[in-house]
């Protein structure tokens, strides 16, 4: 399929209705096939000999994600390849991703952030129990619909497939560097602790409005992730409970062995930090 995507373009029987979002390489469209309406993720595949390998990686990741059944994980309905495009049909989630709440003035109240992080950790625990790691957890990959109290993690396992679909050389590490644990940037195999480092990065960002490591260049960012300890959250928000700041610090520990490995236990810690009288809704602004 070489023509530009647009309304009424048909991909594998799915008729595109409206574009919902654009990533670095992929697009997500609201699409219809018969009576079914889905969010359709479209991933271009490379031309040439790498196309078959990229398609296989995408489908492998999609099929693993299809087996995940949890309220905090988006439901994957179907996946396939219609060269030069791979596609993934998933439940549509009206609302927005968490990225819009990662900077002032839209930072969420602390109790809301805690409940969001708790639900994400619970979703990670379910996936990890099935032997699936996310590889690219970040606010842009968590969708929320406040009106329906809905939260969904998207793109489980697709980071490696995206890398396979975008390059032909070896040695490129899949993921988003600002959210990746030091060992992953060095090429280690992803595991639960890598996902929990990403959860810590997301927590730091949603609570403070900045990333734990920021730099003007990619090289400097990688150096800081590998060598520097993030600032204590209390230096940015002095009123933050010590237990919360300490949990985020443990999640962001540079040595993999110093980080929590059990997402379920992290979810329980987060739940214990939410006071019974705390509100759960989004900010009114």
């Amino acid at each position: 399929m070489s023509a530009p995507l647009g309304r009424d373009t048909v991909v594998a029987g799915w008729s595109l209705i409206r574009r919902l979002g654009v990533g670095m390489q992929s697009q997500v469209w609201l699409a219809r096939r018969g009576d079914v309406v889905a969010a359709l993720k479209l991933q271009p595949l490379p031309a040439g000999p790498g196309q078959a390998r990229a398609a296989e990686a995408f489908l492998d990741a999609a099929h693993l994600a299809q087996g995940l059944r949890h309220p905090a994980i988006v439901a994957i309905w179907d996946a396939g390849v219609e060269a030069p495009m791979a596609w993934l049909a998933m439940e549509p989630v009206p609302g927005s991703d968490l990225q819009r709440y990662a900077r002032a003035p839209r930072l969420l109240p602390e109790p809301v952030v805690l409940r969001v992080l708790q639900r994400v950790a619970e979703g990670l625990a379910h996936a990890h129990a099935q032997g699936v790691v996310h590889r690219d957890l970040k606010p842009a990959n968590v969708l929320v619909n406040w009106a329906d109290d809905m939260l969904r993690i998207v793109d489980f396992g697709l980071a490696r497939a995206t890398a396979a679909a975008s390059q032909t050389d070896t040695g490129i590490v899949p993921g988003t560097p600002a959210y990746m644990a030091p060992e992953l940037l060095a090429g280690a195999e992803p595991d639960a602790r890598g996902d929990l480092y990403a959860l810590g990065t997301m927590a730091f960002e949603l609570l403070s409005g900045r990333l734990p490591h920021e730099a003007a260049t990619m090289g400097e960012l990688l150096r800081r992730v590998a060598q520097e300890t993030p600032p204590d959250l209390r230096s940015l928000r002095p009123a933050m409970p010590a237990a919360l700041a300490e949990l985020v610090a443990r999640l962001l520990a540079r040595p993999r062995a110093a980080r929590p490995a059990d997402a379920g236990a992290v979810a329980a810690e987060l739940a214990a930090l939410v006071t019974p009288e705390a509100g759960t809704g989004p900010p009114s602004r």
Side-chain angles (χ1 to χ4, degrees):
M1 179 179 296
S2 56
L5 298 173
R7 182 179 173 86
D8 297 327
T9 300
V10 177
V11 179
W14 292 97
S15 181
L16 305 187
I17 300 171
R18 181 176 80 254
R19 191 165 66 183
L20 301 176
V22 181
M24 290 185 64
Q25 293 146 11
S26 63
Q27 299 185 30
V28 179
W29 286 75
L30 190 69
R32 181 185 299 276
R33 186 164 69 180
D35 295 330
V36 179
V37 175
L40 194 71
K41 184 182 182 74
L42 301 173
Q43 174 72 53
L45 298 171
Q51 186 172 103
R53 178 177 61 86
E56 182 180 4
F58 186 94
L59 291 175
D60 284 348
H63 292 153
L64 280 174
Q66 211 168 347
L68 302 177
R69 295 287 184 269
H70 190 274
I73 298 175
V74 73
I76 305 299
W77 294 340
D78 200 2
V81 172
E82 188 170 290
M85 194 81 65
W87 58 271
L88 185 75
M90 53 192 166
E91 65 169 321
V93 181
S96 65
D97 64 54
L98 284 177
Q99 188 60 50
R100 68 181 300 175
Y101 302 109
R103 294 292 182 271
R106 285 182 166 166
L107 292 182
L108 297 164
E110 184 182 298
V112 177
V113 174
L114 286 170
R115 292 195 185 278
V116 164
L117 296 171
Q118 176 191 343
R119 292 168 72 173
V120 172
E122 289 168 349
L124 290 176
H126 172 79
H128 295 165
Q130 315 304 313
V132 179
V133 292
H134 191 286
R135 303 174 185 266
D136 194 23
L137 183 68
K138 55 189 176 183
N141 281 336
V142 180
L143 306 179
V144 289
N145 180 352
W146 305 116
D148 294 334
D149 191 29
M150 180 184 295
L151 178 147
R152 299 286 191 273
I153 309 170
V154 300
D155 282 2
F156 255 97
L158 289 182
R160 182 182 292 276
T162 298
S166 64
Q167 49 88 26
T168 55
D169 299 324
T170 60
I172 294 181
V173 180
T176 304
Y179 299 87
M180 293 175 68
E183 71 274 5
L184 300 184
L185 292 172
E189 188 66 21
D191 67 357
R193 286 187 173 97
D195 278 354
L196 288 171
Y197 181 95
L199 181 70
T201 303
M202 193 166 76
F204 193 104
E205 187 175 20
L206 293 174
L207 289 164
S208 72
R210 54 153 288 182
L211 289 162
H213 299 286
E214 295 184 333
T217 66
M218 181 61 68
E220 178 62 11
L221 173 65
L222 300 182
R223 185 197 68 77
R224 291 184 178 182
V225 171
Q227 299 178 11
E228 295 184 4
T229 299
D232 190 314
L233 268 173
R234 287 166 291 185
S235 69
L236 303 172
R237 288 183 58 176
M240 182 166 295
L244 175 55
E246 289 163 4
L247 171 58
V248 174
R250 281 189 283 122
L251 291 170
L252 291 174
R254 289 202 310 276
R256 188 192 325 224
R259 271 177 249 137
D262 183 347
V266 171
E269 284 193 63
L270 290 164
L273 290 170
V274 181
T275 57
E277 67 275 12
T280 60
S284 58
R285 57 181 174 270

